[in-house]
Amino acid sequence: MTEIVTERLVLRDFVETDRQAVVEIETDPETNRHTSRPSDAATVHVTFDSWLEHWARFGYGYLAVRERGPDSAAGADVIGMTGVRNREFRGEKVLNLAYRFRPSAWGKGYAIEAARAALRWAEREIPAIPVLISVSATNAPSLRVVEKLGFEDYVEEVGEDGTVSRHFRR
């Protein structure tokens, strides 16, 4: 995977200097309104390491999202993440599509723009593996994104903590 440039965003693989931005995004209480067990900073560091390892092993994975500058270069700050990663779901290999953005980036359509770019890449480059996205049943904004991306209902399940997750496929 190489850098993906959309109309307003630049998506690229994570690098070590993105670690603090990821910790800030992943531990922000606002970004975890629909998460039953939000991650603490130590857990996010382990998660970030796993993202880097996935990239090293497969050559693709979750991507840092930055706003485009006037010369099409990335802006200064990571505003979110998106991309696909290998995952096993109910005994099947799938590509897990994920996205998460800083609250300051919400309401601008960035989630749809970035996730759509990552989804197109995955369907073009790894068409044999279906793409899955999992969303809390209470997360209405994410459910709207899933709908706009053209995903279909796949399965709904109740987690150990009693929360309901909806899973969608393409």
Side-chain angles (χ1 to χ4, degrees):
M1 180 183 282
T2 59
E3 183 176 87
I4 298 172
V5 179
T6 69
E7 181 180 333
R8 301 176 298 160
L9 305 170
V10 177
L11 291 63
R12 55 133 177 94
D13 57 315
F14 278 105
V15 294
E16 185 59 40
T17 55
D18 298 327
R19 183 180 293 269
Q20 185 56 40
V22 170
V23 170
E24 291 168 8
I25 293 166
E26 293 289 324
T27 60
D28 187 314
E30 278 299 296
T31 64
N32 285 289
R33 288 186 302 185
H34 301 283
T35 306
S36 61
R37 288 183 249 180
S39 298
D40 60 18
T43 302
V44 176
H45 284 288
V46 171
T47 299
F48 188 80
D49 288 340
S50 76
W51 294 356
L52 296 178
E53 290 168 13
H54 189 280
W55 265 97
R57 182 171 178 198
F58 298 103
Y60 64 89
Y62 292 154
L63 301 155
V65 178
R66 299 161 71 131
E67 292 176 307
R68 281 180 62 172
D71 62 349
S72 298
D77 296 322
V78 172
I79 61 168
M81 61 77 69
T82 192
V84 295
R85 246 174 61 129
N86 294 341
R87 174 181 175 192
E88 189 165 305
F89 184 78
R90 297 184 168 213
E92 178 184 23
K93 184 178 178 179
V94 298
L95 295 172
N96 187 72
L97 176 66
Y99 64 87
R100 183 165 282 187
F101 286 82
R102 292 181 185 276
S104 61
W106 293 355
K108 299 177 181 180
Y110 288 163
I112 294 166
E113 185 175 335
R116 183 173 285 134
L119 179 61
R120 286 181 179 151
W121 179 91
E123 291 179 334
R124 183 182 65 247
E125 299 295 325
I126 315 172
I129 305 175
V131 179
L132 180 92
I133 188 166
S134 301
V135 179
S136 168
T138 63
N139 192 338
S142 281
L143 292 170
R144 285 191 298 274
V145 170
V146 166
E147 181 182 328
K148 289 177 181 179
L149 292 173
F151 278 82
E152 296 179 11
D153 277 313
Y154 180 52
V155 69
E156 187 174 287
E157 61 188 6
V158 178
E160 293 175 11
D161 59 359
T163 61
V164 178
S165 293
R166 292 182 62 193
H167 307 278
F168 302 84
R169 281 178 67 138
R170 271 193 48 144

